[in-house]
């Protein structure tokens, strides 16, 4: 597979959690990077592919992959929001983060990184850190088959450039029961998606789910921008994608809806917060979902699941 590979190496040894009282943030080293345009060997394909490998020393800890139509340049074509993609734990070593995600603004050549983790110095709480990295100095060329690609320009000695990205801890989220719309609007909004579930029938020799068998997704959303706001989401539309769904919350002021495009694996979440007499506060986030789909024993039924996924919203 052709892809952009951005390898991040933690500056220190990987721990089970991170300190949330730090004022210096967290630094990662970028070892390699690559962006590939649509594969010319696949007629009709318009997908640009991006991959990110997050590592400690030489051992990969996370693999991150995203695809979107090249013309989108990393932004959803309808909502105009960045498309965030999950970083999947490889099983090597112990990750310091509960979830990590990245997004790319290909027009500006900027990589965005966000990660959520348990606070080692604040038991029972989680922290969210975000950062950016400009990819301003690139070498772009074509492969032998005519497909375009870009990589960071090598140094004068031919070595990989020493690129680093730093993330800074976001302020603690206001409490859902007491937060005003003003408080929420000043906070970076994002969610941790958990309990992803989707089923469909895939007949041997075919590549599309059998008509009428796709349940669409169900999942939970935990707000990282409003402490205590959790949503339970389920598909409400018929089994023909894109799927529409609703999310219910125990917080009376909060509501959310979602759309899932099974062709592109793009999930769009819209959260609304009741501001009383003023207009509702709306937040939109877009994620590229990579749920693992397993075939049932002696069955054509596939069940899809996922580890926790971080979905961001605006550019950082």
């Amino acid at each position: 597979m052709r892809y952009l590979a951005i390898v991040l190496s933690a500056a220190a040894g990987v721990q089970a959690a991170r300190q949330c009282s730090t004022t210096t943030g967290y630094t990662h080293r970028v070892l390699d990077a690559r962006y590939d345009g649509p594969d010319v060997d696949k007629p009709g394909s318009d997908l640009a592919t991006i991959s990110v490998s997050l590592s400690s020393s030489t051992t990969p800890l996370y693999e991150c992959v995203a695809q979107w139509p090249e013309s989108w340049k990393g932004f959803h074509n309808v909502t105009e929001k960045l498309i965030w993609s999950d970083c999947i734990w490889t099983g090597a070593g112990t990750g310091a983060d509960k979830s990590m995600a990245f997004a790319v603004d290909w027009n500006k050549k900027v990589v965005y990184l966000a990660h959520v983790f348990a606070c080692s110095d604040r038991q029972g709480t989680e922290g969210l850190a975000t950062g950016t990295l400009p990819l301003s100095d690139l070498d772009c060329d074509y492969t032998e088959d005519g497909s375009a690609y870009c990589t960071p320009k090598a140094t004068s000695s031919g070595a990989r450039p020493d690129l680093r990205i730093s993330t800074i801890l976001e302020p603690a989220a206001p409490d859902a029961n007491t937060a005003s719309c003003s408080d929420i609007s000043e906070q970076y909004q994002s969610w941790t998606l958990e309990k992803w579930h989707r089923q469909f029938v895939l007949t041997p020799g075919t590549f599309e789910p059998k008509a009428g068998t796709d349940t669409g997704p169900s999942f939970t959303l935990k707000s990282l921008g409003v402490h205590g706001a959790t949503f339970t989401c389920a598909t409400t539309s018929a089994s023909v994608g894109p799927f529409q769904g609703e999310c219910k919350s125990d917080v009376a002021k909060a509501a959310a809806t979602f759309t899932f495009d099974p062709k592109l694996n793009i999930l769009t979440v819209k959260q609304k917060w009741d501001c009383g007499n003023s207009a509702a506060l709306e937040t939109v986030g877009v994620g590229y979902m990579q749920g693992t789909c397993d075939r049932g024993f002696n069955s054509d039924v596939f069940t899809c699941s996922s580890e926790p996924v971080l979905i961001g919203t605006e550019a950082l």
Side-chain angles (χ1 to χ4, degrees), residues 45-226:
S45 173
D46 65 344
L47 297 178
T49 306
I50 297 175
S51 175
V52 174
S53 294
L54 310 180
S55 72
S56 172
S57 183
T58 58
T59 304
L61 288 179
Y62 297 95
E63 295 292 343
C64 318
V65 177
Q67 280 191 327
W68 23 256
E70 184 182 36
S71 61
W72 291 12
K73 304 295 184 182
F75 288 83
H76 189 241
N77 66 328
V78 176
T79 64
E80 299 183 347
K81 302 297 183 181
L82 277 170
I83 300 172
W84 290 85
S85 181
D86 183 34
C87 299
I88 299 172
W89 182 52
T90 65
T94 302
D97 302 285
K98 177 179 179 180
S99 185
M100 187 175 290
F102 81 112
V104 177
D105 179 343
W106 194 241
N107 275 324
K108 295 182 178 179
K109 305 298 186 293
V110 175
V111 175
Y112 300 89
L113 182 68
H115 51 125
V116 60
F117 41 85
C119 296
S120 60
D121 50 351
R122 299 177 189 171
Q123 189 173 5
T125 64
E126 293 179 339
L128 172 69
T130 59
T132 62
L133 173 69
L135 293 177
S136 54
D137 203 4
L138 297 172
D139 270 334
C140 297
D141 206 339
Y142 293 89
T143 62
E144 291 183 358
D145 64 8
S147 301
Y149 72 92
C150 295
T151 58
K153 187 172 293 185
T155 66
S156 58
S157 64
R160 293 172 177 172
D162 183 15
L163 301 176
R164 298 173 188 269
I165 180 171
S166 296
T167 57
I168 302 297
L169 190 70
E170 294 287 336
D175 187 85
N177 295 314
T178 58
S180 66
C181 281
S182 177
D183 295 333
I184 296 172
S185 65
E186 294 176 358
Q187 191 78 16
Y188 182 74
Q189 297 298 311
S190 58
W191 307 270
T192 300
L193 182 152
E194 300 178 348
K195 299 180 181 178
W196 178 265
H197 184 271
R198 177 187 170 206
Q199 282 189 325
F200 54 82
V201 172
L202 190 65
T203 305
T206 63
F207 300 95
E208 298 289 341
K210 184 178 179 180
T213 66
D214 198 329
T215 64
S218 62
F219 51 91
T220 62
L221 287 174
K222 179 181 178 181
S223 174
L224 297 172
V226 185

Side-chain angles (χ1 to χ4, degrees), residues 215-218 232-239 242-248 256-258:
T215 64
S218 62
T232 301
C233 306
T235 297
T236 56
S237 64
S239 55
F243 295 99
Q244 309 292 327
E246 296 183 357
C247 304
K248 298 180 179 180
T257 59
F258 72 87

